[in-house]
Amino acid sequence: MATPVKDPLTGAETTGHVWDDTLQEFNNPLPRWWLWTFYGTIIFAIVYWIMYPAWPMFDSYTKGIGNNITYKTDAGEEKSTHWNMRALLANEMQTGEPALKQKAYLDKVGAASYEQIAADPDMSAFVRSYGVGMFGDNCAACHQAGGQGVVGQFPNLVDDDWLWGGDTTAIETTIRGGRMGYMPAYSKTFSPDQLNQVANYVLTLSGQPADAAAAAEGQKIFQGETGGCYMCHTKEGKGMHAQGAANLTDKVWTIANVDAATTPEAKLEAVKAVIHNGVNRKMPVFGKEGRNLSDTEIKVLTAYLQQMSAGVAAK
C-alpha cells in the first residue's frame, strides 16, 4: 500500500497532486452526517418510486403501491384510482372538513325558501361567499366580475332593471332555461325618414332631447301597425317582462349606448342603429339540459343575484 503523502507545513494528508510546485489537494473526508444524509436521500427515492407513481413506461407509467383513493366524478359516479394528486384533491374537496361544512350549508340553503334565505344572516353570508365563485365561473365572462354587463351585448345585473323580471321565480327561470333576446330588424320596414322619426320618439320617452315634429310622427308609427313596437314595449313604452322587451322610459339603456353619446345627434344615431339592425342575443341554459347546475346551485345563484342587484325586487 502506498505511503500517504503529507503536506510538510500542516502535516495534513494530501492526494499527492501538486500544481505550481506548492499548490496541493488535501484528502479531507466528507462529514459523516453529510454522507448519511446523502444515503438517506437515495433510500427515500427508491421507496418513493415503489410507493407512488413515478417512472414512465411506454404509453403508461408505474402506478405505485400506495392506497387507492375514492372520489366522485362531476357526474356523481364513484371512482377509485391509484394515488395521485388530482384524485387526492378531488377526495379532499368532497370529504374534507371544509367541504363537509360547505355541503351542510348547501343542503340548508337548498331546503329553505328565498324569503328564509334573505332573513337568515348566516345563509345570506353563505350565499354571498359561495355565489361569488359560481358567478365568476358561469356568468362573469359575459356580465363582468361586478355584474355591470356590457352595453349592447350583455345586460347589467346590478341596476335592479330586469328585462325578464327581477323576482326570484323570474331569475331562476332565466338561469335554468336561458333566454333568447330578440327584436326584429327594421332596416327593410322603415324608410330613412320613418327610422329617424321612431328614434326621435324613443328618445323622448326617457326625456332625451329630440326633434318634436319627428317624434310626433314616430309616436304614430310606434303605436300603430306600421311599426307595431307597442306590441312588445306597450303603448307607454314600459316594456313587458314576458317578452324581455326593455322599458324605454326608465333611462336605462341596455343596447343603445345613449349615455356614452356626447351630442344629441350621437344619441339619435345610437337608437337608430338598434332599430335598424334589431337585436339577436342568447343566454345559455344552465339547468340540466345545459351547464348542468344542480337545483341548489341555481337557488344559490338566484339568491346571490338578488343580493347583488341595487335593490331587492318585489317578490
Side-chain angles (χ1 to χ4, degrees):
M1 185 172 71
T3 303
V5 179
K6 294 188 177 181
D7 177 47
L9 295 177
T10 63
E13 185 177 325
T14 71
T15 62
H17 300 154
V18 181
W19 295 269
D20 297 333
D21 296 329
T22 58
L23 184 61
Q24 301 186 67
E25 180 184 4
F26 283 10
N27 187 20
N28 290 329
L30 291 168
R32 192 173 297 275
W33 67 265
W34 193 97
L35 283 173
W36 282 114
T37 301
F38 176 67
Y39 297 148
T41 60
I42 296 175
I43 295 171
F44 174 83
I46 294 172
V47 173
Y48 187 94
W49 294 339
I50 295 171
M51 295 292 297
Y52 299 102
W55 289 98
M57 294 178 59
F58 303 105
D59 60 347
S60 183
Y61 53 91
T62 58
K63 302 294 194 299
I65 60 173
N67 294 329
N68 285 351
I69 297 177
T70 301
Y71 66 97
K72 288 185 177 181
T73 65
D74 292 339
E77 176 187 355
E78 191 169 285
K79 184 176 181 180
S80 181
T81 184
H82 64 277
W83 189 98
N84 63 80
M85 290 301 296
R86 182 176 297 178
L88 180 63
L89 175 62
N91 177 271
E92 290 181 352
M93 291 183 67
Q94 294 166 6
T95 62
E97 183 179 352
L100 294 177
K101 287 183 178 180
Q102 185 182 83
K103 184 179 183 304
Y105 261 104
L106 280 171
D107 292 342
K108 185 178 180 180
V109 169
S113 67
Y114 288 109
E115 290 79 5
Q116 290 171 328
I117 295 171
D120 187 301
D122 286 341
M123 283 197 287
S124 293
F126 175 78
V127 163
R128 287 193 296 273
S129 175
Y130 193 83
V132 68
M134 289 191 62
F135 187 88
D137 291 341
N138 298 283
C139 313
C142 294
H143 295 284
Q144 309 302 298
Q148 295 87 354
V150 179
V151 176
Q153 298 183 56
F154 312 109
N156 186 335
L157 302 180
V158 297
D159 59 4
D160 202 22
D161 187 81
W162 299 86
L163 291 174
W164 300 92
D167 59 31
T168 52
T169 300
I171 296 175
E172 183 175 322
T173 300
T174 297
I175 297 171
R176 191 179 297 277
R179 295 292 188 184
M180 176 67 77
Y182 177 76
M183 183 183 102
Y186 284 86
S187 55
K188 296 181 179 179
T189 305
F190 292 161
S191 67
D193 285 342
Q194 289 174 319
L195 179 63
N196 182 69
Q197 291 163 351
V198 174
N200 272 279
Y201 174 66
V202 169
L203 286 172
T204 64
L205 290 173
S206 61
Q208 295 287 344
D211 184 315
E217 293 301 317
Q219 180 177 11
K220 297 176 185 177
I221 299 171
F222 186 97
Q223 297 182 354
E225 299 306 315
T226 303
C229 310
Y230 72 94
M231 289 188 284
C232 292
H233 293 284
T234 75
K235 288 193 174 184
E236 297 77 18
K238 295 186 178 296
M240 288 194 298
H241 289 155
Q243 300 291 333
N247 184 341
L248 303 177
T249 68
D250 59 5
K251 300 181 181 181
V252 176
W253 301 92
T254 63
I255 304 293
N257 200 356
V258 171
D259 292 332
T262 56
T263 65
E265 293 77 15
K267 295 177 186 293
L268 180 64
E269 289 303 317
V271 175
K272 286 170 65 175
V274 175
I275 300 172
H276 182 274
N277 298 324
V279 176
N280 192 357
R281 57 185 181 177
K282 182 178 182 180
M283 175 183 153
V285 174
F286 286 88
K288 291 183 179 180
E289 299 80 11
R291 300 290 181 89
N292 202 30
L293 295 184
S294 68
D295 292 341
T296 299
E297 288 175 324
I298 290 175
K299 177 174 281 189
V300 170
L301 192 52
T302 299
Y304 175 75
L305 287 173
Q306 274 213 319
Q307 289 189 24
M308 179 192 280
S309 181
V312 179
K315 294 180 176 61

